[in-house]
Each structure stands twice: as C-alpha cells, then as structure tokens.
Amino acid sequence: MVQCIFCKSSDNIVKAGFRHNDSGKKQRYWCKKCKNRFVPNDGFWKMKHKPEIIAEAISCRKRGMPYQEVSKHFREYDKADICPATAYNWVQKYGKVLRKFNLKQIPKLSGKINLDEFVSKFKKRSSIVG
Ligand SMILES: [Zn+2]
C-alpha cells in the first residue's frame, strides 16, 4: 500500500510513470488529494522522522556538511539513523520549502543592515552583558 508523503493519505494515489536515478527505476505516484507527485523512499517509510530532524539535516547540508557527515552527525548524537541518501532526498524534497520558511523568519537580516553594522551591534551588546 502506498501512502502520500505529503498528506499521509493512502486513498487517491495513482501511478504516474517512473523516475530514473542511481538506484534504478522507481515508481512515481501522484496524490489526487493534495496534488503532489512523489516517489516513495524506503527509508522514509520505515522511520518516519520528525520534521525537526529533517530541518536539521537540511540546515547541516546548507552549512556545507557533506551528506556522509550529516548522517554521522545524527548517529553521533543518537538522534536518528539516516543514511546519506536519505539526507539527500530530504534536501531535494524539502530544501525549497525550508528556504522560503527561513526567509520569512529573518527578513531584517538581508538588505538594510549590512554585515559590519550587524557585527558591531552584536559586539556592543555582548560587551554590555559581559
Ligand atoms: Zn497527498
């Protein structure tokens, strides 16, 4: 049985051709309910990771961490058992969504404040505190 990775619905799933990648041919599905197309990922099904874990993996990757290291990072801290391919899939699937989210969270950092100003403000504040 196939479950939609977006809305978790298992009804209204139709086959939508194949996708080719390194691991071969994969069945692709189309969810009529939320109108998303997806390829079930074996690791993803079994483990059902929390969104925080996914977000953290993407953020590690954005900071330049190789997928191998992202995977190790989670094992080291006993957070999740993900393989580099899973981290890769998350970045592909959720990277864009998260980028939008991040932009909404920090609108003031881009544009008006330049980096020097930001750093000097930060230094002043920390010298008052410390
Ligand atoms: Zn769906």
Side-chain angles (χ1 to χ4, degrees):
M1 194 179 72
V2 183
Q3 193 185 36
C4 172
I5 61 165
F6 297 98
C7 67
K8 310 288 177 207
S9 163
S10 53
D11 326 309
N12 304 311
I13 307 290
V14 293
K15 287 184 179 178
F18 291 95
R19 191 181 75 174
H20 299 267
N21 63 10
D22 298 345
S23 54
K25 204 161 124 184
K26 276 200 166 181
Q27 179 69 53
R28 197 194 232 166
Y29 296 90
W30 163 256
C31 173
K32 283 195 208 165
K33 203 174 165 191
C34 68
K35 312 256 187 280
N36 274 305
R37 215 184 309 176
F38 64 94
V39 175
N41 176 313
D42 303 331
F44 195 84
W45 296 130
K46 281 172 205 155
M47 286 184 262
K48 287 181 186 156
H49 293 289
K50 288 178 188 169
E52 299 96 271
I53 298 288
I54 297 172
E56 195 175 330
I58 293 167
S59 127
C60 285
R61 178 62 199 156
K62 272 194 211 157
R63 277 176 285 168
M65 208 185 259
Y67 290 112
Q68 288 285 350
E69 291 299 315
V70 177
S71 164
K72 247 195 251 170
H73 165 82
F74 284 107
R75 283 189 187 134
E76 228 169 90
Y77 294 96
D78 211 19
K79 284 184 178 175
D81 192 18
I82 59 164
C83 60
T86 306
Y88 174 80
N89 280 326
W90 288 348
V91 172
Q92 298 304 307
K93 274 180 202 154
Y94 306 112
K96 265 187 200 165
V97 180
L98 215 81
R99 197 146 54 223
K100 275 185 205 158
F101 175 78
N102 283 347
L103 284 174
K104 274 183 197 163
Q105 296 297 300
I106 45 161
K108 281 174 185 170
L109 273 182
S110 58
K112 285 177 185 170
I113 304 174
N114 71 42
L115 191 62
D116 290 344
E117 222 178 292
F118 182 74
V119 170
S120 69
K121 268 184 192 167
F122 181 77
K123 274 182 186 166
K124 264 184 211 163
R125 201 185 302 157
S126 52
S127 68
I128 294 165
V129 173

PDB file of all heavy atoms in Angstrom, residues 4 11 37:
ATOM      1  N   CYS A   4       0.806   8.746   0.693  1.00  0.00           N
ATOM      2  CA  CYS A   4       1.331  10.012   0.207  1.00  0.00           C
ATOM      3  C   CYS A   4       2.289  10.596   1.240  1.00  0.00           C
ATOM      4  O   CYS A   4       1.968  10.670   2.421  1.00  0.00           O
ATOM      5  CB  CYS A   4       0.188  10.985  -0.061  1.00  0.00           C
ATOM      6  SG  CYS A   4       0.756  12.647  -0.456  1.00  0.00           S
ATOM      7  N   ASP A  11      -5.530   6.825   0.156  1.00  0.00           N
ATOM      8  CA  ASP A  11      -6.515   6.724  -0.915  1.00  0.00           C
ATOM      9  C   ASP A  11      -6.106   7.712  -1.996  1.00  0.00           C
ATOM     10  O   ASP A  11      -5.238   8.542  -1.785  1.00  0.00           O
ATOM     11  CB  ASP A  11      -7.922   7.120  -0.436  1.00  0.00           C
ATOM     12  CG  ASP A  11      -8.162   6.729   0.994  1.00  0.00           C
ATOM     13  OD1 ASP A  11      -7.923   5.555   1.312  1.00  0.00           O
ATOM     14  OD2 ASP A  11      -8.577   7.605   1.786  1.00  0.00           O
ATOM     15  N   ARG A  37       3.217  15.105  -6.506  1.00  0.00           N
ATOM     16  CA  ARG A  37       3.808  13.938  -7.089  1.00  0.00           C
ATOM     17  C   ARG A  37       4.946  13.478  -6.187  1.00  0.00           C
ATOM     18  O   ARG A  37       5.646  14.316  -5.624  1.00  0.00           O
ATOM     19  CB  ARG A  37       4.375  14.287  -8.462  1.00  0.00           C
ATOM     20  CG  ARG A  37       4.241  13.164  -9.445  1.00  0.00           C
ATOM     21  CD  ARG A  37       4.883  13.512 -10.742  1.00  0.00           C
ATOM     22  NE  ARG A  37       4.453  14.807 -11.272  1.00  0.00           N
ATOM     23  CZ  ARG A  37       4.981  15.318 -12.381  1.00  0.00           C
ATOM     24  NH1 ARG A  37       5.909  14.671 -13.034  1.00  0.00           N
ATOM     25  NH2 ARG A  37       4.589  16.494 -12.816  1.00  0.00           N
TER      26      ARG A  37
END
